[in-house]
Amino acid sequence: MMRELHPECQTSALWIFGYGSLVWKPDFEYTSCKVGFIRGYNRRFWHGDTFHRGNEKMPGRVVTLVEECDACTWGVAYEIRDHQIAPALDYLCIRESKRGGYKTQLVEFIPREEEVDCDGINIMALVYIATPENPIYLGPAPPEQIAAEIAISRGQSGHNLEYLIRLADFMRLSCPDVEDDHLFSIEAAAITILPYLYDTELSFPLLSVINFPDTSSKGQAATLKKQTELSTFVERATGADSLSRSICLSS
């Protein structure tokens, strides 16, 4: 259950839950962190980004949370204490609220089993959520359309593709047993259209859609190889100065 966080609330410790770029790039000082989830919300690429991963003419696509009773969203919760709190909140106010249009709420965070403390106390965490009332909220769209928008968007923090790939990598490596059809269907669509978007000299023999059904040591080794190959391609492609703005999406 969510409740608003009042700015005047004073505390010696605070948890911040990240489910997007915060899972790999918090960029603030923290005391500890835990992988886990919150209930009642789905992660969706429904929010627009005109600063970090896009611009005014071509907004990027980033994630927000959408209420759904039986859903849960996995991410990372960061514990900040004492002198860490004010600088972290000031930084996140600029990064998430002023530049991203997100609002702050409190949610109950549940760590995964191996990270649960002995006392078993529930963790209330601050989370940043963009709602449909936000002017740059883009809303739902088919995976192919979202992937196409991501594939040609870039902002001050880098290419939108990096955001997508890093989030998918986090889920596979940190939450290998968790299904996220929305995220992985967009990643699959992006991989499919990448060769059509960039110059031929950037072409790379992409493997088919990356799935992770094999949890054996051999399967995990193959998974890491696929991730390395995909990451190499993305780095080369997103580093290009010129992007093709005409998208070939033949069915």
Side-chain angles (χ1 to χ4, degrees):
M1 183 177 183
M2 259 187 191
R3 68 172 182 267
E4 293 187 4
L5 177 70
H6 299 287
E8 66 272 15
C9 180
Q10 300 295 320
T11 180
S12 61
L14 180 66
W15 288 83
I16 297 172
F17 177 69
Y19 57 93
S21 61
L22 286 178
V23 303
W24 74 83
K25 190 180 180 182
D27 276 353
F28 55 82
E29 183 183 354
Y30 58 90
T31 299
S32 65
C33 64
K34 298 177 183 289
V35 174
F37 63 93
I38 61 173
R39 292 192 178 100
Y41 297 89
N42 268 323
R43 173 173 40 220
R44 292 289 182 261
F45 274 86
W46 290 0
H47 190 46
D49 189 336
T50 58
F51 184 86
H52 295 291
R53 302 291 174 173
N55 55 53
E56 295 289 344
K57 293 183 178 179
M58 191 173 293
R61 283 264 186 176
V62 290
V63 292
T64 186
L65 295 178
V66 178
E67 290 189 55
E68 188 170 330
C69 293
D70 298 327
C72 70
T73 293
W74 285 77
V76 179
Y78 300 92
E79 180 188 19
I80 54 177
R81 303 186 66 88
D82 303 319
H83 69 281
Q84 299 171 336
I85 296 176
L89 292 181
D90 288 345
Y91 167 72
L92 290 171
C93 179
I94 296 173
R95 170 175 165 174
E96 303 294 334
S97 300
K98 292 183 178 179
R99 292 174 176 169
Y102 289 78
K103 296 181 178 180
T104 55
Q105 301 284 350
L106 280 178
V107 294
E108 182 181 359
F109 171 75
I110 300 96
R112 60 185 176 188
E113 290 184 6
E114 59 266 36
E115 298 189 20
V116 175
D117 295 330
C118 295
D119 56 20
I121 297 176
N122 293 343
I123 296 175
M124 297 304 297
L126 178 70
V127 67
Y128 291 81
I129 299 176
T131 66
E133 289 72 31
N134 193 299
I136 57 175
Y137 191 86
L138 298 177
E144 295 79 11
Q145 179 181 332
I146 294 176
E149 293 172 10
I150 288 174
I152 58 174
S153 297
R154 179 193 294 270
Q156 297 296 316
S157 296
H159 203 286
N160 208 174
L161 273 172
E162 179 195 15
Y163 181 101
L164 170 64
I165 298 302
R166 285 187 181 273
L167 185 54
D169 282 351
F170 161 78
M171 287 299 296
R172 289 198 180 95
L173 294 173
S174 300
C175 316
D177 299 324
V178 178
E179 296 182 4
D180 193 327
D181 293 339
H182 177 77
L183 171 61
F184 294 137
S185 65
I186 294 170
E187 182 197 33
I191 292 171
T192 300
I193 66 175
L194 272 175
Y196 297 101
L197 297 178
Y198 298 96
D199 297 334
T200 54
E201 62 265 23
L202 290 173
S203 296
F204 188 80
L206 286 178
L207 296 166
S208 59
V209 178
I210 301 176
N211 294 314
F212 291 74
D214 189 350
T215 57
S216 66
S217 58
K218 184 177 179 181
Q220 290 175 345
T223 285
L224 291 175
K225 182 176 182 291
K226 288 182 180 181
Q227 286 182 311
T228 301
E229 290 174 338
L230 177 59
S231 296
T232 299
F233 176 83
V234 170
E235 287 174 5
R236 294 175 64 194
T238 58
D241 291 331
S242 59
L243 291 176
S244 171
R245 297 306 185 187
S246 60
I247 303 173
C248 178
L249 290 175
S250 57
S251 56

